[in-house]
């Protein structure tokens, strides 16, 4: 039985291939995690925006004694910022002393 000698050249090629493979696996895991985080943040963005609008609406009522007439009023006076390319905001108020109905929907990607 003959024992093969492993030369340094073959060993360095194997080491290089393993290093590249490990790098690709780590990079793939990072990209997958970043993509997952980004998707989750996008899906929770509409809820966060709705809560911010609701808080500003109640704050306006507490300060001014009436609910704001529109979302634009909240943007001008209470610092609400809406990315209109990402979200559609529907703000329906019945009367100045009744909490308005607030709906936030994500905009479709084709718009």
């Amino acid at each position: 039985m003959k024992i093969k000698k492993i030369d340094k050249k073959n060993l360095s090629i194997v080491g290089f291939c393993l290093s590249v493979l490990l790098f690709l696996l780590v990079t793939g895991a990072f990209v997958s995690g970043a993509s997952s985080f980004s998707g989750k943040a996008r899906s929770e963005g509409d809820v966060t925006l709705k809560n911010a609008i609701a808080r500003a609406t109640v704050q306006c009522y507490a300060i001014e004694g009436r609910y704001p007439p529109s979302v634009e009023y909240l943007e001008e006076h209470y610092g609400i910022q809406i990315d209109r390319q990402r979200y559609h905001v529907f703000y329906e108020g019945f009367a100045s002393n009744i909490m308005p109905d607030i709906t936030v929907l994500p905009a479709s990607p084709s718009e």
Side-chain angles (χ1 to χ4, degrees):
M1 186 180 218
K2 216 174 184 186
I3 298 176
K4 263 185 150 178
K5 277 188 171 181
I6 300 176
D7 60 356
K8 289 184 179 183
K9 184 178 179 182
N10 287 340
L11 191 59
S12 66
I13 291 173
V14 169
F16 175 75
C17 290
L18 288 175
S19 296
V20 168
L21 181 63
L22 181 63
F23 174 76
L24 291 174
L25 287 173
V26 169
T27 302
F30 176 76
V31 169
S32 174
S35 175
S36 173
F37 177 77
S38 175
K40 185 175 180 180
R42 251 185 263 115
S43 70
E44 292 179 359
D46 53 343
V47 174
T48 303
L49 179 59
K50 180 179 179 178
N51 290 340
I53 293 171
R55 279 193 308 274
T57 301
V58 171
Q59 182 181 13
C60 177
Y61 185 78
I63 292 171
E64 299 179 19
R66 64 181 176 88
Y67 287 108
S70 67
V71 173
E72 290 77 17
Y73 186 86
L74 291 174
E75 289 177 306
E76 291 173 20
H77 298 92
Y78 289 90
I80 293 295
Q81 296 178 353
I82 301 171
D83 185 352
R84 305 256 181 215
Q85 293 179 345
R86 291 182 62 194
Y87 302 105
H88 296 295
V89 177
F90 302 96
Y91 183 92
E92 299 175 35
F94 176 70
S96 64
N97 62 341
I98 297 175
M99 177 74 171
D101 183 37
I102 302 165
T103 305
V104 177
L105 299 173
S108 63
S110 62
E111 291 182 21

